[in-house]
Amino acid sequence: MKDRHDIYDFAAIESKWQKWWQDHEVYKVDIDPHKPKYYTLDMFPYPSGAGLHVGHPLGFIASDIIARYKTLQGYNVLHPMGFDAFGLPAEQYAIETGQHPAITTKNNIERYKKQLKRMGLSYDWSREIRTCDSSYYHWTQWAFIGLFQHWFDKKLQKARPIEELKELFARHGTHLSYAATHSHDKTPSLSADEWQKLNSEEQDRYLLNYRLAYQEEASVNWCEALGTVLANDEIQDGLSVRGGHPVTQKNMKQWKLRITAYAERLLSGLDSLDWSESMKTVQRNWIGKSHGMDIHFPLSTSSHSIQIYTTRADTIYGVTFLVLAPEHPLVKVVTTHEQKASVEKYLNRTAQKLEAPHGTQNTTGVLSGSFAIHPLTGHKIPIWISDYVLMDYGHGAIMAVPADDERDRKFAQCFNLPIIENHTVGTPLESCSHTQEAIEKIYTILTNTDSTTSKPKRRINYKIKDAIFARQRYWGEPIPIYYKNHIPYPLPLKDLPLLLPDIDSYHPTPQGDPPLARADHWTNKHGHPLETNTMPGFAGSSAYFLRYCDPHNTHALASKEALSYWQNVDLYIGGSEHATGHLIYARFWHMFLHDIDLAPTQEPFQKMINQGMILGTSQYAHRSKGTNTFISYDLTRSHDTQRIPVDIRLFRQGHLDIEAFKAWRSEYATATFQCNNNGHFLCEEVVEKMSKSLFNTMSPDEVIDDYGADTLRLYEMFLGPIEQTKPWSVTKIEGVHRFLKRFWRLFFRQGEWHVSDEELTDKELTLLHKTIYEVRRSTENYQFNTAISAMMSVTNILTRQEIRKYHILKPLTILLAPYAPHIAEELYARLESTKVPSLFKHGKLPDYNEDFLLNNTWNAPVAINGKVKFTLPLQLDENKESIQKQIQQHEKFHHILKGKAITKWIIIPNKMINIVTKK
RNA sequence: GGGGACGUGGUGGAAUUGGUAGACACGCUGGAUUUAGGAUCCAGUGCCUCGCGGCGUGAGAGUUCAAGUCUCUCCGUCCCCACCA
């Protein structure tokens, strides 16, 4: 009995096929003009030192199922994988241990690859990308230079070469309203003559204000402990996301990307995308488009005026004070002599303030001493300075309407400022019933005042800010820029890639310069100093999906030919936490590459799926305080107990293995256990984030060792809907594993291979077509759990009825193949007597016969409570008589009713007809 | 404060998208068979009732021949963003 063939030996099957696939390059793809393409992509992982846990592969498995499914459908499927390899953890590790980040990173990648391969994922590894390879970051640097060499034409909504801007300046002067520049542009406009008189250095300095990659003195989030600036999405509650170090504001010269120029395209592009509404909403909020008005408030004692931005111009009669941000350029002008001391004190305090958690700040502010004139009422209104107004939104100045705005009200109450309720009473706005109407009226009134101040301006404003594109770190892409007289110039393209140099220490220099300043001869060929900043984390992930199309090209990011074949990503799977980081930057980067005729489409990711997080189920044993006696959780009410996290591996069939627990820690060796009435010892179960300290993590390798990769894949998909957050639980893997064993045994009788060639009965055909329909529909809707259920169901039926027919087992095996590829390959090879090399090369997804289904299942009559109910497909756009006639003439009508009388028939418009009879 | 998602058995979750609610799985109960296998097989399992039958998708209303699904109100849960004028 030892060598029964019906034992499902997953370990042997899986290692056999994984080797076979690798040896025969089954998943290698090339351009094939005779086949339609499909591009499915995972967000490539950052290879951390901890390896993968069971929550990571969820998305990988989902995209692998789609990749294999599409392959079987006849598509040429691009399904690549790579590694986002630059980043802080490897560098922090290097600082602590002295080991070069390249080595740490390489080791981590090897481990990740091994884990991924064991899961039977069908990646074309010949296309692997690592962002830290110079052959890859060559093209990241190339794109950066491209951004540097272009400006944005707001009229055409498109990037154009900087040379064209030079020509325009020479012809028309620099006052071009359609050339995108900073929101607080302080550069004076030049006439054409003045421009032409500038020497080339002066022109270059001037052009920096228009390049898509530019430098600017800016207030940045500085993290002293990490020695670098951080992006907003790298900070949470005033602390760095990595490491939890404090973050302060600091002024520094920074590289930035003019992503704000693309705000409108980033916003409108969302409409065409097949993303979840919540994902689109997050991006819309991040871009933060608003329609409003710029209004000037003249100062009472000087010729200056304060420009404010408001979306609610209709509340202008309720304005009782103005507020400037502490960094506002007019703060110096409006501060009176008497207030100077307190204003300076306030400014000092706010400048040093840590980023406090939002919503917890106290209301603070200081009076400037000056007054502005209300443009409509002529009243003198005080000007305040407060940090609740942000310099980088609007103009850094607001008109405060404490009657309508909660923040203004809070401020007014704090400083005892007047609040005008019902401020429209007695004004021209009294008759307006809609906000929009009132705003229009205000616009007209302000436009027609004959005051000397500037007229109001309609304005569309965006919250999105230009992205800071520099980190003062070592382990990132060097920025391919050199300086001549402190003006930045790009390296010639032929000198790329600019290699990351080796250095002896990863700390900043004693002068506070970034680590790259430690490199020997960090200059270009002519001795000009090179940029010492490196690129931020999102640089390498902004075009990797294009590189996969042609990963070994040494002349371009990717060839025209490859890109015009593979186009954009059809399906992108990854976490929703990248909504405001990577997914915005990558879309921006891709739009720029589209503008310069490289990327074939506007948008990079057509369909997006965000896999939900997998949580851990922690187990806590309760110990009576001060004793070594453990109490079953259902009995703890009468005891004062202490919770102790227990390794989930110590559980068998949902119960704590007490002997294993005693052996786990020496202190528990002598512990005693109080069980409940059923003789069980229960632990408290808590669903929470996976964490090593709670002993609730599990690696995919452990599951594969015990149950095999196919079971892991099925189980991860069977847990629930892919986008949902859900707990991992060890006890339920058995179910899907049992299904695979059952499926395997379907092909055997008494330990021997037994598949017959008999034709299928109508009943069996119905079952088959129904299953094909359900599995295909579910898979195409990414409802993988439902698809698996359908396959389980049919397997149960076949097992019970002992149906072992080739004509049903073969299509079912192919249906299972995307989900459990190893077992499917093995059974398929046996079914076809190993005539064919691989299911994934030659298999074809079975089709269902729609007519067959319609006749046999959809319209099948069903008995409900003694009545017969069925539906008929009819032409329902006719009159009543005609429908009645159709029913009477319908072939099925006579067959099903067999003389029973119709008591009721109901027409559902445009759909079908329900007929109900008495029995 | 703003936005989004959701609420179905003891549990995870299905429901041809408006048409037999609870598929499939876990768990549990009983039984069969076998013991070295991560067993297998059969029956049962929403609630009330001995049964007939009745009631059931967070609560209440509405639309409809028909509502878990659509509309409104309320209750509750989760997530994201947030001094954005």
Side-chain angles (χ1 to χ4, degrees), chain A residues 136-158:
Chain A
Y136 176 79
Y137 69 67
H138 182 159
W139 302 104
T140 311
Q141 293 174 335
W142 169 84
F144 177 82
I145 290 175
L147 287 161
F148 185 83
Q149 302 283 38
H150 283 77
W151 61 289
F152 191 82
D153 184 329
K154 291 198 263 187
K155 233 168 26 188
L156 299 177
Q157 282 287 309
K158 191 175 186 292

PDB file of all heavy atoms in Angstrom, chain A residues 136-158:
ATOM      1  N   TYR A 136      19.994  50.504 -14.932  1.00  0.00           N
ATOM      2  CA  TYR A 136      18.633  51.023 -14.778  1.00  0.00           C
ATOM      3  C   TYR A 136      18.637  52.503 -14.428  1.00  0.00           C
ATOM      4  O   TYR A 136      17.944  53.314 -15.054  1.00  0.00           O
ATOM      5  CB  TYR A 136      17.855  50.236 -13.724  1.00  0.00           C
ATOM      6  CG  TYR A 136      16.475  50.833 -13.505  1.00  0.00           C
ATOM      7  CD1 TYR A 136      15.442  50.584 -14.397  1.00  0.00           C
ATOM      8  CD2 TYR A 136      16.223  51.702 -12.442  1.00  0.00           C
ATOM      9  CE1 TYR A 136      14.190  51.172 -14.235  1.00  0.00           C
ATOM     10  CE2 TYR A 136      14.975  52.295 -12.269  1.00  0.00           C
ATOM     11  CZ  TYR A 136      13.967  52.022 -13.178  1.00  0.00           C
ATOM     12  OH  TYR A 136      12.742  52.615 -13.027  1.00  0.00           O
ATOM     13  N   TYR A 137      19.426  52.909 -13.402  1.00  0.00           N
ATOM     14  CA  TYR A 137      19.308  54.313 -12.981  1.00  0.00           C
ATOM     15  C   TYR A 137      19.906  55.276 -14.000  1.00  0.00           C
ATOM     16  O   TYR A 137      19.641  56.472 -13.943  1.00  0.00           O
ATOM     17  CB  TYR A 137      19.789  54.529 -11.531  1.00  0.00           C
ATOM     18  CG  TYR A 137      21.245  54.405 -11.189  1.00  0.00           C
ATOM     19  CD1 TYR A 137      22.187  55.319 -11.669  1.00  0.00           C
ATOM     20  CD2 TYR A 137      21.684  53.429 -10.304  1.00  0.00           C
ATOM     21  CE1 TYR A 137      23.523  55.234 -11.300  1.00  0.00           C
ATOM     22  CE2 TYR A 137      23.021  53.332  -9.927  1.00  0.00           C
ATOM     23  CZ  TYR A 137      23.939  54.238 -10.429  1.00  0.00           C
ATOM     24  OH  TYR A 137      25.258  54.153 -10.074  1.00  0.00           O
ATOM     25  N   HIS A 138      20.649  54.734 -14.938  1.00  0.00           N
ATOM     26  CA  HIS A 138      21.013  55.501 -16.136  1.00  0.00           C
ATOM     27  C   HIS A 138      19.787  56.245 -16.681  1.00  0.00           C
ATOM     28  O   HIS A 138      19.825  57.433 -16.983  1.00  0.00           O
ATOM     29  CB  HIS A 138      21.512  54.496 -17.187  1.00  0.00           C
ATOM     30  CG  HIS A 138      21.982  55.122 -18.472  1.00  0.00           C
ATOM     31  ND1 HIS A 138      22.817  54.470 -19.331  1.00  0.00           N
ATOM     32  CD2 HIS A 138      21.717  56.317 -19.057  1.00  0.00           C
ATOM     33  CE1 HIS A 138      23.065  55.240 -20.388  1.00  0.00           C
ATOM     34  NE2 HIS A 138      22.400  56.364 -20.240  1.00  0.00           N
ATOM     35  N   TRP A 139      18.657  55.519 -16.754  1.00  0.00           N
ATOM     36  CA  TRP A 139      17.462  56.078 -17.400  1.00  0.00           C
ATOM     37  C   TRP A 139      16.635  56.928 -16.455  1.00  0.00           C
ATOM     38  O   TRP A 139      15.864  57.778 -16.892  1.00  0.00           O
ATOM     39  CB  TRP A 139      16.665  54.953 -18.065  1.00  0.00           C
ATOM     40  CG  TRP A 139      17.564  54.278 -19.043  1.00  0.00           C
ATOM     41  CD1 TRP A 139      18.185  53.071 -18.916  1.00  0.00           C
ATOM     42  CD2 TRP A 139      18.077  54.859 -20.251  1.00  0.00           C
ATOM     43  NE1 TRP A 139      19.025  52.842 -19.967  1.00  0.00           N
ATOM     44  CE2 TRP A 139      18.981  53.923 -20.815  1.00  0.00           C
ATOM     45  CE3 TRP A 139      17.861  56.070 -20.919  1.00  0.00           C
ATOM     46  CZ2 TRP A 139      19.664  54.166 -22.001  1.00  0.00           C
ATOM     47  CZ3 TRP A 139      18.531  56.314 -22.107  1.00  0.00           C
ATOM     48  CH2 TRP A 139      19.430  55.358 -22.641  1.00  0.00           C
ATOM     49  N   THR A 140      16.824  56.704 -15.167  1.00  0.00           N
ATOM     50  CA  THR A 140      16.218  57.613 -14.191  1.00  0.00           C
ATOM     51  C   THR A 140      16.921  58.966 -14.299  1.00  0.00           C
ATOM     52  O   THR A 140      16.286  60.028 -14.308  1.00  0.00           O
ATOM     53  CB  THR A 140      16.361  57.033 -12.770  1.00  0.00           C
ATOM     54  OG1 THR A 140      15.940  55.668 -12.774  1.00  0.00           O
ATOM     55  CG2 THR A 140      15.533  57.817 -11.769  1.00  0.00           C
ATOM     56  N   GLN A 141      18.260  58.918 -14.416  1.00  0.00           N
ATOM     57  CA  GLN A 141      19.030  60.155 -14.569  1.00  0.00           C
ATOM     58  C   GLN A 141      18.714  60.832 -15.901  1.00  0.00           C
ATOM     59  O   GLN A 141      18.570  62.053 -15.978  1.00  0.00           O
ATOM     60  CB  GLN A 141      20.536  59.838 -14.483  1.00  0.00           C
ATOM     61  CG  GLN A 141      20.950  59.375 -13.094  1.00  0.00           C
ATOM     62  CD  GLN A 141      22.408  58.919 -13.038  1.00  0.00           C
ATOM     63  OE1 GLN A 141      22.984  58.501 -14.058  1.00  0.00           O
ATOM     64  NE2 GLN A 141      22.998  58.971 -11.854  1.00  0.00           N
ATOM     65  N   TRP A 142      18.559  60.010 -16.922  1.00  0.00           N
ATOM     66  CA  TRP A 142      18.235  60.543 -18.242  1.00  0.00           C
ATOM     67  C   TRP A 142      16.903  61.307 -18.205  1.00  0.00           C
ATOM     68  O   TRP A 142      16.765  62.406 -18.743  1.00  0.00           O
ATOM     69  CB  TRP A 142      18.159  59.379 -19.232  1.00  0.00           C
ATOM     70  CG  TRP A 142      17.588  59.747 -20.565  1.00  0.00           C
ATOM     71  CD1 TRP A 142      18.243  60.299 -21.618  1.00  0.00           C
ATOM     72  CD2 TRP A 142      16.216  59.596 -20.982  1.00  0.00           C
ATOM     73  NE1 TRP A 142      17.387  60.501 -22.661  1.00  0.00           N
ATOM     74  CE2 TRP A 142      16.140  60.085 -22.296  1.00  0.00           C
ATOM     75  CE3 TRP A 142      15.070  59.100 -20.371  1.00  0.00           C
ATOM     76  CZ2 TRP A 142      14.941  60.076 -23.020  1.00  0.00           C
ATOM     77  CZ3 TRP A 142      13.881  59.097 -21.076  1.00  0.00           C
ATOM     78  CH2 TRP A 142      13.827  59.582 -22.388  1.00  0.00           C
ATOM     79  N   ALA A 143      15.913  60.723 -17.523  1.00  0.00           N
ATOM     80  CA  ALA A 143      14.608  61.376 -17.433  1.00  0.00           C
ATOM     81  C   ALA A 143      14.706  62.672 -16.630  1.00  0.00           C
ATOM     82  O   ALA A 143      14.059  63.671 -16.958  1.00  0.00           O
ATOM     83  CB  ALA A 143      13.588  60.435 -16.791  1.00  0.00           C
ATOM     84  N   PHE A 144      15.553  62.669 -15.600  1.00  0.00           N
ATOM     85  CA  PHE A 144      15.721  63.883 -14.805  1.00  0.00           C
ATOM     86  C   PHE A 144      16.281  65.007 -15.669  1.00  0.00           C
ATOM     87  O   PHE A 144      15.815  66.144 -15.615  1.00  0.00           O
ATOM     88  CB  PHE A 144      16.648  63.613 -13.611  1.00  0.00           C
ATOM     89  CG  PHE A 144      16.909  64.847 -12.797  1.00  0.00           C
ATOM     90  CD1 PHE A 144      15.997  65.262 -11.839  1.00  0.00           C
ATOM     91  CD2 PHE A 144      18.048  65.615 -13.015  1.00  0.00           C
ATOM     92  CE1 PHE A 144      16.220  66.413 -11.100  1.00  0.00           C
ATOM     93  CE2 PHE A 144      18.276  66.769 -12.285  1.00  0.00           C
ATOM     94  CZ  PHE A 144      17.359  67.178 -11.328  1.00  0.00           C
ATOM     95  N   ILE A 145      17.262  64.682 -16.487  1.00  0.00           N
ATOM     96  CA  ILE A 145      17.818  65.695 -17.387  1.00  0.00           C
ATOM     97  C   ILE A 145      16.747  66.174 -18.365  1.00  0.00           C
ATOM     98  O   ILE A 145      16.645  67.366 -18.672  1.00  0.00           O
ATOM     99  CB  ILE A 145      19.070  65.148 -18.108  1.00  0.00           C
ATOM    100  CG1 ILE A 145      20.200  65.001 -17.094  1.00  0.00           C
ATOM    101  CG2 ILE A 145      19.500  66.075 -19.258  1.00  0.00           C
ATOM    102  CD1 ILE A 145      21.457  64.364 -17.634  1.00  0.00           C
ATOM    103  N   GLY A 146      15.914  65.234 -18.811  1.00  0.00           N
ATOM    104  CA  GLY A 146      14.794  65.613 -19.674  1.00  0.00           C
ATOM    105  C   GLY A 146      13.898  66.642 -18.998  1.00  0.00           C
ATOM    106  O   GLY A 146      13.513  67.646 -19.599  1.00  0.00           O
ATOM    107  N   LEU A 147      13.586  66.395 -17.738  1.00  0.00           N
ATOM    108  CA  LEU A 147      12.740  67.338 -16.991  1.00  0.00           C
ATOM    109  C   LEU A 147      13.438  68.694 -16.876  1.00  0.00           C
ATOM    110  O   LEU A 147      12.819  69.747 -17.001  1.00  0.00           O
ATOM    111  CB  LEU A 147      12.436  66.782 -15.601  1.00  0.00           C
ATOM    112  CG  LEU A 147      11.432  65.616 -15.571  1.00  0.00           C
ATOM    113  CD1 LEU A 147      11.552  64.831 -14.266  1.00  0.00           C
ATOM    114  CD2 LEU A 147      10.011  66.122 -15.756  1.00  0.00           C
ATOM    115  N   PHE A 148      14.752  68.641 -16.649  1.00  0.00           N
ATOM    116  CA  PHE A 148      15.528  69.874 -16.520  1.00  0.00           C
ATOM    117  C   PHE A 148      15.512  70.673 -17.828  1.00  0.00           C
ATOM    118  O   PHE A 148      15.508  71.898 -17.816  1.00  0.00           O
ATOM    119  CB  PHE A 148      16.970  69.508 -16.131  1.00  0.00           C
ATOM    120  CG  PHE A 148      17.850  70.695 -15.837  1.00  0.00           C
ATOM    121  CD1 PHE A 148      17.834  71.296 -14.590  1.00  0.00           C
ATOM    122  CD2 PHE A 148      18.696  71.203 -16.819  1.00  0.00           C
ATOM    123  CE1 PHE A 148      18.643  72.389 -14.318  1.00  0.00           C
ATOM    124  CE2 PHE A 148      19.513  72.305 -16.562  1.00  0.00           C
ATOM    125  CZ  PHE A 148      19.483  72.900 -15.304  1.00  0.00           C
ATOM    126  N   GLN A 149      15.468  69.972 -18.933  1.00  0.00           N
ATOM    127  CA  GLN A 149      15.557  70.616 -20.248  1.00  0.00           C
ATOM    128  C   GLN A 149      14.199  71.008 -20.820  1.00  0.00           C
ATOM    129  O   GLN A 149      14.110  71.336 -21.998  1.00  0.00           O
ATOM    130  CB  GLN A 149      16.252  69.681 -21.253  1.00  0.00           C
ATOM    131  CG  GLN A 149      17.649  69.244 -20.858  1.00  0.00           C
ATOM    132  CD  GLN A 149      18.688  70.320 -21.072  1.00  0.00           C
ATOM    133  OE1 GLN A 149      18.422  71.498 -20.849  1.00  0.00           O
ATOM    134  NE2 GLN A 149      19.883  69.929 -21.484  1.00  0.00           N
ATOM    135  N   HIS A 150      13.137  70.891 -20.019  1.00  0.00           N
ATOM    136  CA  HIS A 150      11.819  71.239 -20.528  1.00  0.00           C
ATOM    137  C   HIS A 150      11.093  72.214 -19.609  1.00  0.00           C
ATOM    138  O   HIS A 150      11.398  72.311 -18.421  1.00  0.00           O
ATOM    139  CB  HIS A 150      10.951  69.982 -20.707  1.00  0.00           C
ATOM    140  CG  HIS A 150      11.306  69.202 -21.930  1.00  0.00           C
ATOM    141  ND1 HIS A 150      12.415  68.381 -21.987  1.00  0.00           N
ATOM    142  CD2 HIS A 150      10.698  69.134 -23.145  1.00  0.00           C
ATOM    143  CE1 HIS A 150      12.479  67.827 -23.195  1.00  0.00           C
ATOM    144  NE2 HIS A 150      11.459  68.267 -23.925  1.00  0.00           N
ATOM    145  N   TRP A 151      10.169  72.932 -20.212  1.00  0.00           N
ATOM    146  CA  TRP A 151       9.256  73.799 -19.455  1.00  0.00           C
ATOM    147  C   TRP A 151       7.841  73.402 -19.825  1.00  0.00           C
ATOM    148  O   TRP A 151       7.615  72.614 -20.750  1.00  0.00           O
ATOM    149  CB  TRP A 151       9.497  75.281 -19.784  1.00  0.00           C
ATOM    150  CG  TRP A 151       9.280  75.614 -21.236  1.00  0.00           C
ATOM    151  CD1 TRP A 151      10.074  75.258 -22.278  1.00  0.00           C
ATOM    152  CD2 TRP A 151       8.178  76.338 -21.797  1.00  0.00           C
ATOM    153  NE1 TRP A 151       9.552  75.714 -23.455  1.00  0.00           N
ATOM    154  CE2 TRP A 151       8.390  76.390 -23.192  1.00  0.00           C
ATOM    155  CE3 TRP A 151       7.049  76.969 -21.259  1.00  0.00           C
ATOM    156  CZ2 TRP A 151       7.500  77.035 -24.058  1.00  0.00           C
ATOM    157  CZ3 TRP A 151       6.171  77.620 -22.117  1.00  0.00           C
ATOM    158  CH2 TRP A 151       6.401  77.649 -23.508  1.00  0.00           C
ATOM    159  N   PHE A 152       6.868  73.937 -19.102  1.00  0.00           N
ATOM    160  CA  PHE A 152       5.485  73.521 -19.323  1.00  0.00           C
ATOM    161  C   PHE A 152       4.666  74.652 -19.909  1.00  0.00           C
ATOM    162  O   PHE A 152       4.606  75.746 -19.362  1.00  0.00           O
ATOM    163  CB  PHE A 152       4.856  73.050 -18.005  1.00  0.00           C
ATOM    164  CG  PHE A 152       3.528  72.354 -18.204  1.00  0.00           C
ATOM    165  CD1 PHE A 152       3.494  71.015 -18.564  1.00  0.00           C
ATOM    166  CD2 PHE A 152       2.327  73.027 -18.030  1.00  0.00           C
ATOM    167  CE1 PHE A 152       2.287  70.353 -18.754  1.00  0.00           C
ATOM    168  CE2 PHE A 152       1.112  72.383 -18.220  1.00  0.00           C
ATOM    169  CZ  PHE A 152       1.096  71.043 -18.577  1.00  0.00           C
ATOM    170  N   ASP A 153       4.054  74.376 -21.033  1.00  0.00           N
ATOM    171  CA  ASP A 153       3.200  75.346 -21.722  1.00  0.00           C
ATOM    172  C   ASP A 153       1.757  75.134 -21.255  1.00  0.00           C
ATOM    173  O   ASP A 153       1.138  74.120 -21.577  1.00  0.00           O
ATOM    174  CB  ASP A 153       3.314  75.120 -23.238  1.00  0.00           C
ATOM    175  CG  ASP A 153       2.523  76.169 -24.019  1.00  0.00           C
ATOM    176  OD1 ASP A 153       1.496  76.655 -23.496  1.00  0.00           O
ATOM    177  OD2 ASP A 153       2.940  76.485 -25.145  1.00  0.00           O
ATOM    178  N   LYS A 154       1.222  76.081 -20.473  1.00  0.00           N
ATOM    179  CA  LYS A 154      -0.108  75.899 -19.892  1.00  0.00           C
ATOM    180  C   LYS A 154      -1.200  75.963 -20.946  1.00  0.00           C
ATOM    181  O   LYS A 154      -2.271  75.417 -20.783  1.00  0.00           O
ATOM    182  CB  LYS A 154      -0.362  76.963 -18.808  1.00  0.00           C
ATOM    183  CG  LYS A 154       0.502  76.750 -17.577  1.00  0.00           C
ATOM    184  CD  LYS A 154      -0.049  77.506 -16.375  1.00  0.00           C
ATOM    185  CE  LYS A 154       0.666  78.825 -16.208  1.00  0.00           C
ATOM    186  NZ  LYS A 154       0.291  79.536 -14.975  1.00  0.00           N
ATOM    187  N   LYS A 155      -0.908  76.686 -22.053  1.00  0.00           N
ATOM    188  CA  LYS A 155      -1.900  76.791 -23.117  1.00  0.00           C
ATOM    189  C   LYS A 155      -2.065  75.447 -23.810  1.00  0.00           C
ATOM    190  O   LYS A 155      -3.161  74.958 -24.012  1.00  0.00           O
ATOM    191  CB  LYS A 155      -1.451  77.844 -24.144  1.00  0.00           C
ATOM    192  CG  LYS A 155      -2.505  78.878 -24.412  1.00  0.00           C
ATOM    193  CD  LYS A 155      -2.014  80.096 -25.191  1.00  0.00           C
ATOM    194  CE  LYS A 155      -0.823  79.892 -26.091  1.00  0.00           C
ATOM    195  NZ  LYS A 155      -0.289  81.147 -26.653  1.00  0.00           N
ATOM    196  N   LEU A 156      -0.922  74.818 -24.146  1.00  0.00           N
ATOM    197  CA  LEU A 156      -0.964  73.516 -24.815  1.00  0.00           C
ATOM    198  C   LEU A 156      -1.081  72.376 -23.809  1.00  0.00           C
ATOM    199  O   LEU A 156      -1.273  71.229 -24.199  1.00  0.00           O
ATOM    200  CB  LEU A 156       0.299  73.307 -25.655  1.00  0.00           C
ATOM    201  CG  LEU A 156       0.543  74.311 -26.783  1.00  0.00           C
ATOM    202  CD1 LEU A 156       1.862  74.003 -27.473  1.00  0.00           C
ATOM    203  CD2 LEU A 156      -0.600  74.255 -27.796  1.00  0.00           C
ATOM    204  N   GLN A 157      -0.924  72.684 -22.499  1.00  0.00           N
ATOM    205  CA  GLN A 157      -0.910  71.656 -21.452  1.00  0.00           C
ATOM    206  C   GLN A 157       0.098  70.558 -21.779  1.00  0.00           C
ATOM    207  O   GLN A 157      -0.214  69.367 -21.759  1.00  0.00           O
ATOM    208  CB  GLN A 157      -2.325  71.059 -21.279  1.00  0.00           C
ATOM    209  CG  GLN A 157      -3.255  71.937 -20.486  1.00  0.00           C
ATOM    210  CD  GLN A 157      -2.919  71.959 -18.998  1.00  0.00           C
ATOM    211  OE1 GLN A 157      -2.775  70.933 -18.366  1.00  0.00           O
ATOM    212  NE2 GLN A 157      -2.733  73.156 -18.443  1.00  0.00           N
ATOM    213  N   LYS A 158       1.333  71.001 -22.046  1.00  0.00           N
ATOM    214  CA  LYS A 158       2.309  70.044 -22.543  1.00  0.00           C
ATOM    215  C   LYS A 158       3.710  70.571 -22.249  1.00  0.00           C
ATOM    216  O   LYS A 158       3.928  71.791 -22.232  1.00  0.00           O
ATOM    217  CB  LYS A 158       2.122  69.935 -24.062  1.00  0.00           C
ATOM    218  CG  LYS A 158       2.843  68.819 -24.753  1.00  0.00           C
ATOM    219  CD  LYS A 158       2.423  68.812 -26.228  1.00  0.00           C
ATOM    220  CE  LYS A 158       2.970  67.653 -27.008  1.00  0.00           C
ATOM    221  NZ  LYS A 158       4.386  67.622 -27.235  1.00  0.00           N
TER     222      LYS A 158
END
